[in-house]
Amino acid sequence: EVELSSDGSAVNTGPKGVINDWRRFKQLETEQRQEQRREMERLIKKLSVTCRSHLDEETDKQKQKELQEKINGKVAW
């Protein structure tokens, strides 16, 4: 049996229509899960890039100090 939905498209309310609806639901569910996974990966990458360890900060401070000393002429080239 075929009916028209509110948007004018045909809707099959028989067994084939139910199976097609279930397949479409599963497809949308899979796409949503994949999008959530991609969004989570983007968030993890974004947060991991901004996180710095104490050792990284100390190394940067040392490099800045050495650069400043070179600029001030304290270190011979």
Side-chain angles (χ1 to χ4, degrees):
E1 185 177 314
V2 177
E3 296 178 8
L4 293 178
S5 67
S6 60
D7 64 355
S9 61
V11 177
N12 187 349
T13 59
K16 290 180 183 177
V18 172
I19 291 170
N20 286 336
D21 288 346
W22 180 81
R23 286 181 180 150
R24 180 69 179 142
F25 169 77
K26 289 309 226 179
Q27 179 185 11
L28 291 173
E29 188 178 53
T30 301
E31 290 172 3
Q32 183 181 14
R33 203 174 313 120
Q34 289 171 345
E35 179 59 32
Q36 287 174 343
R37 190 175 301 128
R38 284 191 296 268
E39 184 62 32
M40 182 68 74
E41 289 172 358
R42 277 184 251 148
L43 182 60
I44 289 170
K45 286 179 183 178
K46 179 181 177 183
L47 293 176
S48 67
V49 170
T50 60
C51 294
R52 296 176 50 93
S53 71
H54 180 69
L55 183 59
D56 290 337
E57 291 176 8
E58 289 299 318
T59 302
D60 285 348
K61 285 180 185 178
Q62 183 63 30
K63 287 180 181 178
Q64 283 289 4
K65 184 178 176 183
E66 290 172 2
L67 182 60
Q68 190 63 38
E69 288 174 353
K70 285 181 181 180
I71 290 172
N72 292 337
K74 293 181 180 177
V75 175
W77 296 28

